[in-house]
Amino acid sequence: MQITVNVNGTDHTEEIEPRLLLVHFLRDTIGLTGTHWGCDTSNCGTCVVWMDEEPVKSCTVLAAMAAGHRVRTVEDLERDGVLDPVQEGFMQCHGLQCGFCTPGMLMTARALLDRNPDPDEGEIREAISGQICRCTGYSTIVRSVQWAAEHDQPAELAAGGAQ
Ligand code: FES
Ligand code: FES
């Protein structure tokens, strides 16, 4: 079947198998390997992307279900060489070690801060509760998101001004 999915602002029209998962569409069909695939059980959360502004586990969504929708991946966080505050926060506060869980953590953190610019620790831990990190013990991830909240600015300012 042929589908068109808008990924990070660009339409991608591709022939796919109907059973293809969105995570494999992103990684293997259009070559955006920033989104990781870490399990077969929908537990790890490293595959989180946005579909129409909502974080979703891309291993639980068929690529065909994303047809006609907007998908945002970790590759879209950095703009013109400027890191998103969540990326900067993970760097400043050592929010990663191996980095495997990081793409999903970043997309979840960005979604959280867009909805709640000043989350408390419990809200951050709840937001990332669907994701597994085998390295950090989560404390530095929480600190990274707090750092991002302290240094965040409205998306329209970060993008250079509201239209
Ligand atoms: Fe593990 Fe999606 S790859 S939850
Ligand atoms: Fe290694 Fe999270 S940094 S799994």
Side-chain angles (χ1 to χ4, degrees):
M1 65 186 294
Q2 187 181 79
I3 62 169
T4 299
V5 184
N6 185 287
V7 183
N8 301 334
T10 301
D11 282 341
H12 294 267
T13 300
E14 302 286 348
E15 290 287 337
I16 62 157
E17 292 280 339
R19 64 182 176 173
L20 184 72
L21 295 173
L22 179 58
V23 64
H24 299 309
F25 176 82
L26 294 170
R27 289 180 55 82
D28 303 330
T29 305
I30 66 171
L32 291 180
T33 55
T35 301
H36 290 169
W37 178 46
C39 72
D40 286 320
T41 52
S42 300
N43 281 326
C44 76
T46 193
C47 63
V48 168
V49 300
W50 293 7
M51 198 158 92
D52 297 335
E53 318 298 330
E54 285 294 327
V56 296
K57 290 180 174 176
S58 58
C59 72
T60 65
V61 177
L62 292 170
M65 293 164 66
H69 293 272
R70 287 173 292 113
V71 172
R72 188 181 188 200
T73 72
V74 70
E75 284 91 347
D76 195 50
L77 289 178
E78 172 261 319
R79 296 280 173 87
D80 299 325
V82 179
L83 295 180
D84 187 282
V86 294
Q87 295 173 303
E88 190 73 30
F90 273 64
M91 195 168 72
Q92 295 292 337
C93 301
H94 310 289
L96 65 148
Q97 290 179 28
C98 80
F100 197 78
C101 70
T102 309
M105 293 289 184
L106 292 172
M107 296 311 288
T108 296
R110 183 67 269 157
L112 170 67
L113 296 182
D114 284 355
R115 287 173 175 75
N116 177 2
D118 187 25
D120 62 28
E121 179 176 343
E123 289 169 325
I124 295 171
R125 287 186 180 274
E126 184 177 351
I128 63 170
S129 62
Q131 289 163 261
I132 293 172
C133 176
R134 298 179 191 279
C135 304
T136 62
Y138 300 97
S139 296
T140 56
I141 292 175
V142 171
R143 275 208 295 281
S144 300
V145 179
Q146 290 170 329
W147 188 99
E150 289 160 13
H151 295 80
D152 220 348
Q153 58 179 320
E156 61 270 20
L157 290 180
Q163 299 298 307

